[in-house]
Amino acid sequence: MTTTSTTGSSPTTPAARRGRRVWIAVGAVVLAVGGYLTAAALVSNSSDPSETVRSYLAAIADGDASTAAQIVDPDASGIDAAYLTDEVLGAATERIEVVSVTTTTREGGTAEVTAAMELASQTFTHTFTMTRDAGAYWLLQPGWRPDAPLTVEATVSVRDSISLAGVEQVDLAGTELALAVKDVAGVSANSRSESVPVYPAVYGLTGPDMGTYFTIAPDELVAIPPTATAELSVAATEALQKALLDAANVQANACVEPGTAADVVCPLLLRQQDPSTTGVIQAPYDVTFRTGHRFMVDVIFWYRPEGGTSSGTGTTDYTTDLIGRYTVDGDDVTVEFLPWDEL
């Protein structure tokens, strides 16, 4: 006979075993969720908002305006983003170099981050006000965002006092920029300008083709916050200056010829002389432009005061100016010379 005995134990039923497994599983879930929340809180509290600024500035430095706009949307700050594009920023001839990024203050869901940057051999700083995104604790991300983008209010102008048509647009880093007539002190009515936000960088500026007689030398816009300006100027080509000097030379010779020497466009002193006692020593030179499409040229005449000999001794040099107004029609330049009282 085989005898089996039990001491101090009770039978374990299948239902009891299932109950213990359920409680173990629930406890594991609670621990996992609690650990997740704890980890999220630790990451959010320990993450430095400067990392977001580093990413933002790296995008600008790389010419990646799209990524920069994902980090801080210019539209959300009411900033015109027409020139905050990959095309414009990517075409910049020089972009920022980040020197340092430091979180200077941090309190709860706000912080300030100061960044030092270099552009065109100049160092500048900018302080970002940062806000933590709502729900960041659930995302295992710091969730910091700058409150406003880093942009420069850039004013581009074209100074134009000599062309007849004016300049209505320029090229900013390969993108057309339309100019409007502005009431700017010291700038003629034909001059135009426009202000637009751009990311900090150095951008090439070129003017339109203005034909044979006018030109605009290219320049660059060095956009360092908070504001920047660049000005292009319309200038006369050698062809226009030659056309004006040629016309002035004809007029200078007419001022020492009988029948035309008394014209009111000739200098008064010459009009008071006998044309046979006057002449041109140096043909017109040094074109100077005035408002109203007028110009002046220097010219050196000679005249023989009363008592001088016919051999030419006793002559006196007379340096003066001739004044004219020009118009341009295609390749044709028309010049009208004016009396001094119309200067």
Side-chain angles (χ1 to χ4, degrees), residues 5-231:
S5 63
T6 60
T7 59
S9 62
S10 61
T12 302
T13 65
R17 288 195 297 271
R18 285 195 299 272
R20 284 198 297 272
R21 286 198 295 270
V22 169
W23 280 108
I24 292 172
V26 171
V29 170
V30 171
L31 289 174
V33 171
Y36 177 88
L37 293 175
T38 301
L42 289 174
V43 169
S44 290
N45 286 329
S46 64
S47 296
D48 193 330
S50 66
E51 293 304 313
T52 300
V53 173
R54 289 182 189 278
S55 299
Y56 180 60
L57 296 180
I60 294 175
D62 291 340
D64 189 352
S66 297
T67 296
Q70 290 176 358
I71 297 174
V72 52
D73 184 5
D75 290 332
S77 298
I79 295 176
D80 181 7
Y83 296 89
L84 302 174
T85 63
D86 291 335
E87 290 75 19
V88 174
L89 184 58
T93 57
E94 184 180 344
R95 291 187 288 272
I96 59 170
E97 179 180 342
V98 181
V99 177
S100 64
V101 180
T102 307
T103 300
T104 53
T105 62
R106 178 175 174 180
E107 184 175 352
T110 61
E112 288 188 347
V113 176
T114 299
M117 292 155 277
E118 185 175 298
L119 179 64
S121 300
Q122 300 182 54
T123 300
F124 64 98
T125 61
H126 181 80
T127 297
F128 294 87
T129 299
M130 310 290 290
T131 302
R132 196 202 309 270
D133 284 344
Y137 290 102
W138 299 89
L139 299 174
L140 282 177
Q141 296 177 1
W144 293 98
R145 294 291 180 268
D147 288 351
L150 174 59
T151 59
V152 182
E153 188 68 13
T155 301
V156 177
S157 302
V158 175
R159 183 176 292 272
D160 177 17
S161 59
I162 67 170
S163 80
L164 304 176
V167 178
E168 297 182 351
Q169 58 87 25
V170 296
D171 184 284
L172 172 64
T175 300
E176 181 179 308
L177 173 61
L179 306 179
V181 176
K182 304 287 186 178
D183 184 13
V184 179
V187 178
S188 72
N190 288 334
S191 298
R192 298 168 179 260
S193 65
E194 192 60 55
S195 296
V196 294
V198 296
Y199 285 119
V202 179
Y203 302 94
L205 277 175
T206 56
D209 182 359
M210 300 191 70
T212 304
Y213 298 113
F214 304 102
T215 186
I216 300 178
D219 202 350
E220 61 182 17
L221 169 68
V222 180
I224 294 177
T227 61
T229 59
E231 182 180 87

